[in-house]
Amino acid sequence: MPKCTRWVAAGRQMLAYALVAWGASAAAQHSALPDTISKVKPSVVIVGSYNPTAAPRFSLRGTGFVVGSGNWVVSNAHVLQAPGSAPPQGQLVVQVRTGPETFQTRAARVLDKDVFHDLTLLQIDGPPVPALSLADSDRVKEGQELAFMGFPIGGALGFSSVTHRAMVSSITQARLPSAQSGQLNERAIRGLREGNFQIFQLDATAYPGNSGGPLFDPVSGEVVGVVNMVMLKGARESALSQPSGISYAIPARHVREMMARQRP
């Protein structure tokens, strides 16, 4: 057999092996996801506000997830108050799952708010809740298959967590909208001076209510990012009627940094 023919044959064989390996990996991820969802679900919570004189008394702001020893909740800073909007009325609370369709309301307070990366860390009262582990988000690659979980469309579908598959279509530089002057602190100002940071672009549709939810590995359940925003085609209302299919997530490395600031 001529040498060039042998090279072609060897190349085809290597390609066939690669395709088989890729197919096996994809199949493993798909088969593992149902079990991973069951493992992740108890740690994904609803962030909202409670006002005993309002109707309804509870108002959903977004999603969060439990980390650390079980009394810390990660979410987006804009879930607490979107830039340019009035502060939500009522007490900040988190609803944690106590059964398949039941939740318990816990009082919450803000431990840290990283406006530049649009992250917040909350402390919740009560016994510890199962926590999620953080993966090394610097190891995430473009084309990687992930999943995210949250409570989309402000509870219009009922307070049932929803899971979406997502591929990392790009790891790109992004600058989030700057905070109002009243929200700026020394760390936020320093971050704005330092410039942009990397963000995960996903080929998936997130909706209002998904903000703050975990982006996780479909096999291990480890969190690699925090769902942050969805690209809109027009006005905010178009997120429901004309979803772009493009969403973004903050890498988990910034969550790890925020948690580290709370430890002596």
Side-chain angles (χ1 to χ4, degrees):
M1 180 184 295
K3 184 180 294 185
C4 62
T5 304
R6 291 200 302 269
W7 286 348
V8 170
R12 287 175 176 171
Q13 188 175 34
M14 291 178 63
L15 177 59
Y17 287 153
L19 290 173
V20 169
W22 178 84
S25 175
Q29 289 184 352
H30 279 69
S31 63
L33 186 56
D35 290 336
T36 304
I37 290 173
S38 297
K39 182 171 64 174
V40 169
K41 187 180 291 187
S43 305
V44 179
V45 302
I46 306 170
V47 181
S49 54
Y50 179 79
N51 186 343
T53 62
R57 296 179 179 179
F58 175 78
S59 176
L60 182 146
R61 300 188 193 180
T63 301
F65 59 95
V66 180
V67 294
S69 59
N71 288 95
W72 286 355
V73 170
V74 173
S75 189
N76 287 145
H78 80 259
V79 166
L80 303 184
Q81 180 180 355
S85 67
Q89 299 296 312
Q91 179 187 6
L92 177 64
V93 296
V94 167
Q95 290 197 357
V96 302
R97 193 180 297 275
T98 57
E101 300 295 335
T102 57
F103 293 85
Q104 180 186 64
T105 301
R106 306 267 194 97
R109 63 185 180 89
V110 178
L111 288 179
D112 196 357
K113 185 162 63 171
D114 181 351
V115 174
F116 180 63
H117 296 109
D118 193 21
L119 293 172
T120 190
L121 184 65
L122 308 177
Q123 172 92 40
I124 59 173
D125 294 341
V129 178
L132 297 179
S133 299
L134 301 179
D136 182 0
S137 58
D138 291 341
R139 298 174 66 88
V140 172
K141 298 179 180 180
E142 293 180 351
Q144 185 170 341
E145 295 287 343
L146 300 170
F148 64 89
M149 185 181 296
F151 296 88
I153 320 180
L157 301 179
F159 292 142
S160 297
S161 56
V162 179
T163 303
H164 297 268
R165 296 183 185 275
M167 184 187 74
V168 180
S169 54
S170 178
I171 301 176
T172 185
Q173 296 290 319
R175 178 192 290 274
L176 301 181
S178 59
Q180 295 174 297
S181 59
Q183 296 175 308
L184 291 176
N185 55 35
E186 180 181 352
R187 187 166 60 252
I189 294 172
R190 184 169 63 250
L192 289 171
R193 290 172 178 168
E194 291 172 354
N196 299 345
F197 64 95
Q198 287 191 325
I199 192 170
F200 300 143
Q201 179 178 316
L202 310 173
D203 70 335
T205 300
Y207 296 96
N210 276 124
S211 294
L215 176 70
F216 58 91
D217 182 275
V219 176
S220 69
E222 293 182 320
V223 177
V224 299
V226 184
V227 176
N228 164 256
M229 57 184 173
V230 59
M231 179 178 288
L232 302 181
K233 292 181 178 179
R236 179 178 175 83
E237 290 72 17
S238 67
L240 301 180
S241 60
Q242 303 179 59
S244 65
I246 300 176
S247 302
Y248 296 90
I250 309 299
R253 63 174 297 184
H254 303 297
V255 174
R256 201 181 293 275
E257 293 166 356
M258 187 170 59
M259 292 171 62
R261 290 195 290 268
Q262 300 301 316
R263 297 192 174 102

